[in-house]
Amino acid sequence: MAPITAHGPDAALVELGPWQRGLRAQFPIVTGNPELTYLDSAATTQKPQAVLDAVQAQLTTANANAGRGSYPWANAATALVAGVRDRIKTFLGDPDPERSAVHFTSGTTEGLRMVARDWLPELLADGDEIVVPFADHEANLAPWLEAQQLLDRQGVRIRVRELPYQTSSGDYDPAALAQLVGPRTRFVAATHVHHVYGGNMNVHLLRRAVGPDVPICLDAAQSVGHLPVSVAELDVDFVAFSGHKALALPGSGAVWARQTRGPALRPGGWSGSPNTTGIAGLAAALDWLDAAGTERIGRWTVALAARLTEGLSQLDAYEVVGCQRSLAVVSPVQQRCGIVTFRHRDIGASDLGFILFDHGFMVRTDGHCQAGVGERASSVRVSLHVYNTPEEIDRLLAVLASLT
């Protein structure tokens, strides 16, 4: 691979190099295993020391059940949960935090199912339509189909329509969506960053396409913690995300709800004990991300992904999945947000994954939970975060080149 130069996305690697090295040093699992390279951050991210310290402090100084006691530890846990709700609103740039709500979940999937199960049925009547993605993550299709089935059993017939995509780039097609939306369109679900192709799906263009009154629910599993997310700019009504994909612990996550279009989101059933340890870790992760700068994290991972796609485009044995116009470091279209998926033309994805691990690289190899009309064939997914380096990308490309 050519040396890093100060042009195009590569310029970010030059400019941000010292900043990145300081952040990388804060991840004990990364610095403690120099022989290994973790390239699976779309599945789960590694945790900085600040998050580990926050979890340890919560468990050793004020571990109690929130909302179920009046002694100091319980009061501290209760205050923690309330405070992190406000912290999430601030992190997402909530323009009206007094009206909105945050509900903690185990992750994105539960969050989307909460909207589908506890909110959407109240919005819909017989003959209404919803528009949802059929080629994104399964978690952003199955809940809406389950809601349709639930309503069908109640005698309410709704129509589920496919969110249109642009064939050239794989992004959503706002013009086609505008033609699809009609007087019975009540709801749209979308994905911020695609979990296979890595593209920012231009969700900011959807509001104009659907009009001012249709609620939009956003799967932000691959954007929160990876790049800036502003609910004010996106003008969406729900944001579901996973803590473990944003430097926090597994089993933590949240749904932010705007509460201005349609009924308020009120999760059904009895509210059990909150995951206070996960919530403490999530608060620390958001603090760490704010201090590091999600804009700079996004620039860094986009630049690394561009370096990888350009290298792969020069190897005839490999096919990069997704938009073929965004392979070069200097690209005419929007580039991948830290996710690059590819196949070897002769070596199966699983076999390639084992080969790469023999060289110290940890990648994802399967169908990546694609929904509906999404690609089903197995592939290798490399997903990056701020702890990854240009040197790791170059070493990976050297190994891949040796297999051609």
Side-chain angles (χ1 to χ4, degrees), residues 79-112:
L80 167 70
V81 172
V84 180
R85 285 196 174 98
D86 292 336
R87 183 70 184 88
I88 289 171
K89 294 179 183 183
T90 302
F91 187 80
L92 296 178
D94 189 339
D96 192 4
E98 295 301 318
R99 180 178 296 185
S100 64
V102 169
H103 301 283
F104 291 109
T105 68
S106 62
T108 307
T109 299
E110 185 189 352
L112 295 172

Side-chain angles (χ1 to χ4, degrees), residues 14-76:
V14 176
E15 173 194 345
L16 298 175
W19 162 86
Q20 187 272 342
R21 286 189 288 274
L23 297 182
R24 176 182 167 90
Q26 298 177 41
F27 290 83
I29 197 171
V30 173
T31 58
N33 294 277
E35 75 285 1
L36 298 175
T37 299
Y38 184 75
L39 300 173
D40 198 18
S41 291
T44 195
T45 53
Q46 300 305 331
K47 322 305 176 191
Q49 187 64 53
V51 170
L52 304 179
D53 290 344
V55 170
Q56 179 77 1
Q58 193 275 331
L59 288 174
T60 57
T61 64
N63 182 38
N65 207 342
R68 289 163 172 81
S70 58
Y71 51 91
W73 291 0
N75 292 339

Side-chain angles (χ1 to χ4, degrees), residues 13 223 253:
L13 302 179
S223 57

